[in-house]
Amino acid sequence: MTGQHTFPKRITVLSGGVGGARFLEGLLRLVARRGFEPWTGSTDGEVPDGRVQITVVANTGDDLRLHGLLVCPDLDTVMYTLGGGIDRDRGWGRSQETWNAKEELTHYGVGLPWFGLGDRDLATHLARTQLLAEGRSLSEATEVLCRRWNPGVRLLPMSDDRIETHVLITNPASGERENVHFQEYWIRYGAAVPAFAITPQWAEHAKPAPGVLEAIDNADVVLLPPSNPVVSIGTILSVPGIAETLKGCPAPVIGVSGIIGSDHVRGMARQLLEVVGVEVSAAGVAAHYGSRTSGGLLDGWLIDSSDAAQLPRIEALGIRAEAVPLWMTEPDVTADMVAESLRLASR
Ligand code: GDP
Ligand code: CA
């Protein structure tokens, strides 16, 4: 897929927040570099020549209800990053943010002291919650929010149904075991308290959002960015029908490792992989996803150049593998990495 004419027309990407968003920035950069424009028009029929349709299926297991509002961290990180509204230094939330509402709420003793919503960000959650109250689904509300940001991709929540990732921890104050929202484990406790289980709460009753399964089935290639294998990709896969569709879809499924050496690049993938008993290495995560040749998810797996010694182990699983630089330092560098994943898809 190196020549222009062989560039895939329909690309479907499963995404978490920051890792997924950076990957998508690189993908959009690559699309532009090859002389194509993103297509976000109708999904019926053909994608016009010269256009590439990118569908993003985003994790909503991190979503939380706060002050009566629905907050969707991963959907918003993708939307803000691709729409130019992200705070680059923090990697999440709005640029030019102010914190007046949070300060006022603190004076009332209301809200979660460890979770801050900026004023600009708050407007997004107000808008989303109003759209939902008017009877729209989360997918429809997301589409409305994206009209402002023009992210260049079709952004779909994995499900319109409520799913929350919960983590069973030892409460550091009481010493008791307790199930907490993933955000509490990650932000309040810094992923530094003992954790024993991770559950995508209510996932078994959820349905994939409209268009999700079709986007996987109709894709020319499906890409798994280096998003967290447990609480981003893992949660998306917990929605009934999504893993099964990936396993059976006609397009190649290519993943990129978020583990380099024996740690995550940023975030808390290492801690969570340990909780679910997966070896913290690029090969360990590849084995966890498994090969499509034996009922798993992957046709190909990109690992970092420094992990090249693991290539034979991954190939032995029946997964094509390549070792290339995997640090997403800036969109141009990430675009090279994404190009490698497409090359692997056509190998
Ligand atoms: P989150 O929802 O904000 O945690 O974001 P994701 O789940 O989409 O991505 C987080 C994962 O991306 C982490 O587990 C990291 O290991 C991985 N990651 C972040 N930056 C990089 C990078 O520059 N290169 C690679 N290979 N992985 C990265
Ligand atoms: Ca997330």
Side-chain angles (χ1 to χ4, degrees):
M1 297 198 185
T2 47
Q4 231 209 28
H5 58 288
T6 53
F7 202 84
K9 277 199 153 186
R10 289 191 182 83
I11 304 176
T12 296
V13 181
L14 272 47
S15 176
V18 179
R22 290 192 184 201
F23 180 89
L24 288 161
E25 264 187 321
L27 173 57
L28 283 165
R29 181 63 58 93
L30 180 69
V31 165
R33 224 194 248 170
R34 297 282 168 86
F36 294 100
E37 272 188 62
W39 172 251
T40 52
S42 159
T43 54
D44 314 329
E46 284 297 297
V47 176
D49 282 342
R51 301 297 194 102
V52 176
Q53 180 179 65
I54 300 168
T55 304
V56 178
V57 178
N59 170 45
T60 55
D62 297 4
D63 293 10
L64 73 164
R65 275 90 187 148
L66 194 55
H67 311 299
L69 304 177
L70 178 62
V71 179
C72 303
D74 288 357
L75 280 171
D76 290 348
T77 298
V78 171
M79 182 175 77
Y80 293 156
T81 301
L82 303 184
I86 198 84
D87 182 299
R88 289 257 148 216
D89 299 328
R90 274 186 280 130
W92 55 272
R94 284 296 321 277
S95 55
Q96 301 172 304
E97 189 58 285
T98 53
W99 304 88
N100 297 302
K102 179 177 166 61
E103 214 176 291
E104 290 295 314
L105 287 164
T106 306
H107 287 305
Y108 290 113
V110 163
L112 304 171
W114 47 268
F115 198 87
L117 294 178
D119 300 329
R120 287 178 188 274
D121 198 27
L122 205 48
T124 304
H125 312 314
L126 283 165
R128 173 188 295 119
T129 307
Q130 178 175 334
L131 292 162
L132 295 171
E134 288 167 2
R136 280 183 243 223
S137 65
L138 181 59
S139 336
E140 290 163 343
T142 304
E143 194 186 330
V144 173
L145 299 180
C146 283
R147 275 183 216 148
R148 170 184 177 193
W149 291 104
N150 290 312
V153 300
R154 188 163 67 112
L155 182 57
L156 304 179
M158 64 189 194
S159 176
D160 284 336
D161 302 324
R162 178 174 181 169
I163 297 169
E164 277 177 15
T165 301
H166 289 178
V167 185
L168 181 65
I169 64 160
T170 302
N171 183 303
S174 67
E176 302 283 313
R177 285 210 181 179
E178 122 182 82
N179 246 320
V180 296
H181 191 290
F182 167 71
Q183 298 289 353
E184 188 166 355
Y185 168 75
W186 166 228
I187 298 172
R188 180 178 191 183
Y189 297 121
V193 293
F196 310 96
I198 297 154
T199 318
Q201 202 68 40
W202 313 302
E204 70 269 31
H205 307 299
K207 286 191 300 292
V212 166
L213 299 183
E214 293 80 355
I216 296 170
D217 252 337
N218 297 333
D220 296 319
V221 60
V222 178
L223 300 175
L224 307 189
S227 289
N228 193 303
V230 184
V231 293
S232 293
I233 305 289
T235 311
I236 298 172
L237 298 174
S238 75
V239 180
I242 295 187
E244 293 75 2
T245 304
L246 268 175
K247 287 174 184 174
C249 73
V253 180
I254 308 294
V256 178
S257 177
I259 301 294
I260 299 181
S262 56
D263 207 349
H264 48 243
V265 178
R266 51 178 87 78
M268 46 21 233
R270 177 177 46 75
Q271 291 91 319
L272 297 176
L273 286 168
E274 284 167 0
V275 174
V276 298
V278 173
E279 178 193 303
V280 186
S281 69
V285 177
H288 172 62
Y289 286 142
S291 163
R292 288 226 294 175
T293 58
S294 51
L297 296 168
L298 294 174
D299 293 296
W301 187 237
L302 275 190
I303 66 173
D304 188 68
S305 313
S306 62
D307 290 323
Q310 296 176 32
L311 285 174
R313 225 185 112 192
I314 300 165
E315 299 265 4
L317 295 166
I319 301 169
R320 297 172 233 161
E322 210 62 74
V324 300
L326 289 195
W327 289 86
M328 301 188 288
T329 48
E330 48 171 311
D332 266 318
V333 174
T334 309
D336 293 337
M337 180 188 91
V338 177
E340 293 292 349
S341 71
L342 295 182
R343 206 162 293 144
L344 197 52
S346 62
R347 204 180 86 186

